[in-house]
Amino acid sequence: MLSSLLNPSISTTPIIKPITRNNRASTVVTCTSSTFDSSSQITNNNHSPPPPPPPDPPHTNIKDEARRQRSVAAADNTFTAKYVPFNAGFDSSESYSLDEIVYRSRSGGLLDVQHDMEALARFDGAYWRTLFDSRVGKTTWPYGSGVWSKKEWVLPEIDPDDIVSAFEGNSNLFWAERFGKHFVGMNDLWVKHCGISHTGSFKDLGMTVLVSQVNRLRKMNRPVVGVGCASTGDTSAALSAYCASAGIPSIVFLPANKISTAQLIQPVSNGALVLSLETDFDGCMKLIREITAELPIYLANSLNSLRLEGQKTAAIEILQQFNWEVPDWVIVPGGNLGNIYAFYKGFKMCQDLGLVEKIPRLVCAQAANANPLYLYYKSGWKEFKAVKANSTFASAIQIGDPVSIDRAVYALRNSNGIVEEATEEELMNAMVQADSTGMFICPHTGVALTALIKLRNSGVIGGEDRVVVVSTAHGLKFAQSKIDYHSGNIPGMGQFANPPVSVKADFGSVMDVLKDFLLSKSPKYK
Ligand SMILES: Cc1ncc(COP(=O)(O)O)c(C=O)c1O
Ligand SMILES: N[C@@H](CCOP(=O)(O)O)C(=O)O
């Protein structure tokens, strides 16, 4: 009933129909019962004169102004960074310039971006804190971005002219007062809302860095014709938006019928080549790795360590927002497992460079239907086994063979971390209960809140602890799961459902309903 009340045309499972256009297979997406087809393409049949050219842009813009400031200021670029094998020993001499196209070390392991920490440490913690704080809330290019306000720690050598940014980051960190008090008996619970972002998820933080570097590589005539990713929906949205903004072709591999309509329409709208594949995310990931090894398509998944340099700034922002006080716990939902390491790295750099004295304990929260990290953790980190990820309402983390498993284990071991899991009912109830306190969160944040509830119930997290739950995407991307829950359309679920009430449109009927409602809210008048 609710679906038809809200939007009769919403379908839970968007259909992607292949068509042939311009002698090559391409795709058309049907998000509702009405089809986008070739007839919906724009044609100019009325032979009207072309529109006049746009007026010349003003002579100066924020990039020009930033360039002028740089030429006046002393050389600001004494910092460097390079790729090294992830967690390499001190005796390793393997390294690569960030201008090389490389995703794996010689031994096939993961890479990491290593900054010249000695050069950064020539400035003390107070210097960095003041510098970062001074850039918040401005429109100065590129520092108006929460990511690029930490440029020296992200991509120090990139020319600001090459940066592709939507001034992402600086997302709000809000006090979850009612949820804290009523559901977990806490006074100091916070939500870092990374979903309030350009494309509605934390992926923007990493994608601005990756696409900026691609922009630079293309200007250097490196062989990058397009950028591609496998995605459960959010990475593809971010990739296609940043590429479209820079005029770079993007290609996204999506598991057919496994992502939400709102996520699917994002790359379609931004002009990406959208491939809908009859497999799951892990299958898409395997394919994109094979394809990017063959074709001049740059890999944009978090296997590419550039992404994590942007994502780590969310951790620095949390410290900044607490006036450089360190919370006790940070809870992050995990899928491909790049983000948990990005948080660790952001906190650790702040500790190593003297901005703070310690780092928080990290919790990675997984859906029980896609829980390879949780199983590994429970085995005492003995043996990692990829799993076949089952369908979950937290569809963006339906991942059974996470590429960053080694990074996640490193982050958790070095932060005295914990892994928790959430069943479908637990994560949906947590999401719905959080929404009832004024939030509108995604199911992945429901997974993180479930971890919090479990750790509070077991006493691991104390009532006085300061906890940050990372909300990774905007709830509006996952409206269908909320509609299904509140409609009672999910077997075995709906304990906290709040469906709309159908009422006859006459005074008496409306009064009856309202009286019942008011009495139920004010028992003393009963
Ligand atoms: C909304 C959302 N939350 C959480 C995650 C998990 O992040 P990661 O893959 O870095 O573990 C993803 C993507 O995987 C996501 O899209
Ligand atoms: N949730 C992700 C899955 C891919 O993760 P990535 O960080 O490796 O790109 C998505 O939205 O696609």
Side-chain angles (χ1 to χ4, degrees):
M1 179 189 70
L2 186 54
S3 337
S4 58
L5 262 177
L6 296 177
N7 182 350
S9 65
I10 286 178
S11 98
T12 14
T13 47
I15 304 155
I16 299 190
K17 284 196 203 155
I19 60 161
T20 304
R21 192 170 58 195
N22 296 343
N23 295 330
R24 69 159 168 78
S26 67
T27 50
V28 148
V29 176
T30 309
C31 297
T32 68
S33 49
S34 64
T35 311
F36 283 7
D37 61 16
S38 48
S39 65
S40 68
Q41 291 170 27
I42 299 167
T43 50
N44 184 2
N45 290 331
N46 59 8
H47 304 293
S48 51
D56 285 343
H59 290 299
T60 54
N61 56 41
I62 53 172
K63 276 192 177 175
D64 293 336
E65 179 56 22
R67 212 175 296 123
R68 203 183 60 74
Q69 294 288 345
R70 282 200 303 284
S71 65
V72 174
D76 61 351
N77 212 350
T78 51
F79 307 113
T80 57
K82 61 189 178 189
Y83 294 120
V84 296
F86 173 72
N87 198 15
F90 287 112
D91 53 346
S92 164
S93 59
E94 186 181 344
S95 72
Y96 307 89
S97 154
L98 297 187
D99 293 333
E100 285 183 61
I101 298 173
V102 53
Y103 315 114
R104 286 275 185 190
S105 70
R106 269 200 295 274
S107 67
L110 294 162
L111 293 175
D112 200 16
V113 173
Q114 186 183 71
H115 290 266
D116 179 350
M117 294 295 276
E118 270 179 30
L120 293 171
R122 275 187 227 121
F123 299 84
D124 67 8
Y127 169 87
W128 290 116
R129 286 195 302 259
T130 308
L131 180 71
F132 294 162
D133 286 348
S134 74
R135 291 170 174 168
V136 176
K138 308 278 166 53
T139 52
T140 317
W141 186 266
Y143 307 124
S145 153
V147 171
W148 296 108
S149 62
K150 284 109 192 155
K151 178 177 182 293
E152 296 82 351
W153 291 24
V154 174
L155 281 190
E157 289 158 285
I158 195 165
D159 186 322
D161 274 359
D162 294 344
I163 289 176
V164 182
S165 168
F167 279 9
E168 50 292 305
N170 292 324
S171 59
N172 53 329
L173 171 66
F174 68 85
W175 183 33
E177 181 183 9
R178 247 190 101 212
F179 187 89
K181 276 191 186 135
H182 291 291
F183 294 106
V184 280
M186 298 179 73
N187 267 320
D188 211 359
L189 173 64
W190 298 77
V191 175
K192 174 70 173 165
H193 204 335
C194 296
I196 298 187
S197 182
H198 186 56
T199 71
S201 86
F202 72 95
K203 305 287 179 175
D204 293 346
L205 305 176
M207 214 50 89
T208 181
V209 176
L210 184 134
V211 174
S212 297
Q213 179 65 14
V214 168
N215 203 27
R216 170 181 164 98
L217 294 176
R218 282 163 60 97
K219 286 187 183 173
M220 297 166 90
N221 291 322
R222 296 291 157 91
V224 181
V225 179
V227 191
C229 72
S231 183
T232 52
D234 292 325
T235 296
S236 48
L239 175 65
S240 56
Y242 282 85
C243 280
S245 159
I248 299 170
S250 63
I251 302 113
V252 305
F253 287 15
L254 305 178
N257 301 325
K258 288 190 174 66
I259 71 172
S260 79
T261 307
Q263 290 173 311
L264 175 59
I265 199 59
Q266 292 185 283
V268 170
S269 304
N270 289 140
L273 174 64
V274 179
L275 300 190
S276 174
L277 301 163
E278 287 300 331
T279 178
D280 55 10
F281 171 80
D282 297 301
C284 291
M285 190 70 226
K286 185 169 174 291
L287 269 169
I288 194 78
R289 283 169 69 170
E290 287 165 5
I291 299 285
T292 49
E294 288 297 314
L295 297 176
I297 297 174
Y298 193 77
L299 179 66
N301 283 101
S302 58
L303 175 67
N304 187 324
S305 44
L306 285 177
R307 280 265 311 279
L308 306 181
E309 292 308 293
Q311 289 172 213
K312 82 182 179 200
T313 62
I316 307 170
E317 256 176 44
I318 290 174
L319 298 175
Q320 200 170 9
Q321 286 165 311
F322 283 136
N323 207 13
W324 304 101
E325 275 179 29
V326 183
D328 298 298
W329 300 88
V330 173
I331 307 180
V332 186
N336 222 10
L337 300 180
N339 212 26
I340 185 77
Y341 177 69
F343 270 90
Y344 169 78
K345 190 170 182 185
F347 288 128
K348 189 73 180 116
M349 277 186 84
C350 287
Q351 184 189 29
D352 290 347
L353 291 168
L355 285 75
V356 294
E357 286 186 348
K358 57 178 185 169
I359 65 168
R361 290 184 71 180
L362 297 181
V363 178
C364 190
Q366 292 212 295
N369 279 358
N371 63 353
L373 180 72
Y374 177 77
L375 297 176
Y376 192 17
Y377 170 76
K378 282 288 170 193
S379 78
W381 302 125
K382 285 217 174 61
E383 195 197 353
F384 174 72
K385 284 199 199 103
V387 302
K388 171 86 191 145
N390 290 315
S391 165
T392 166
F393 285 105
S395 54
I397 53 175
Q398 190 185 332
I399 298 173
D401 193 7
V403 298
S404 285
I405 183 70
D406 294 344
R407 290 173 174 146
V409 173
Y410 185 90
L412 290 160
R413 288 189 127 161
N414 287 288
S415 64
N416 194 14
I418 292 177
V419 188
E420 257 301 347
E421 66 170 359
T423 65
E424 292 302 287
E425 193 176 357
E426 286 168 340
L427 74 91
M428 289 298 276
N429 282 344
M431 176 184 80
V432 169
Q433 288 179 313
D435 287 356
S436 77
T437 65
M439 301 189 216
F440 194 75
I441 57 167
C442 69
H444 319 83
T445 311
V447 172
L449 286 174
T450 302
L452 169 66
I453 293 167
K454 288 183 168 175
L455 293 169
R456 269 296 289 134
N457 287 343
S458 63
V460 174
I461 292 184
E464 300 298 314
D465 290 355
R466 172 173 281 181
V467 178
V468 177
V469 168
V470 176
S471 181
T472 43
H474 202 290
L476 284 171
K477 286 191 172 201
F478 300 91
Q480 190 62 50
S481 61
K482 294 176 191 282
I483 292 170
D484 289 341
Y485 183 99
H486 288 290
S487 310
N489 284 345
I490 310 172
M493 273 195 221
Q495 199 185 343
F496 307 106
N498 176 36
V501 183
S502 288
V503 199
K504 276 213 330 240
D506 64 59
F507 184 80
S509 309
V510 172
M511 282 296 276
D512 287 346
V513 172
L514 289 180
K515 275 183 198 153
D516 285 349
F517 174 75
L518 294 176
L519 283 171
S520 73
K521 295 289 169 197
S522 316
K524 64 181 170 180
Y525 297 119
K526 267 192 184 161

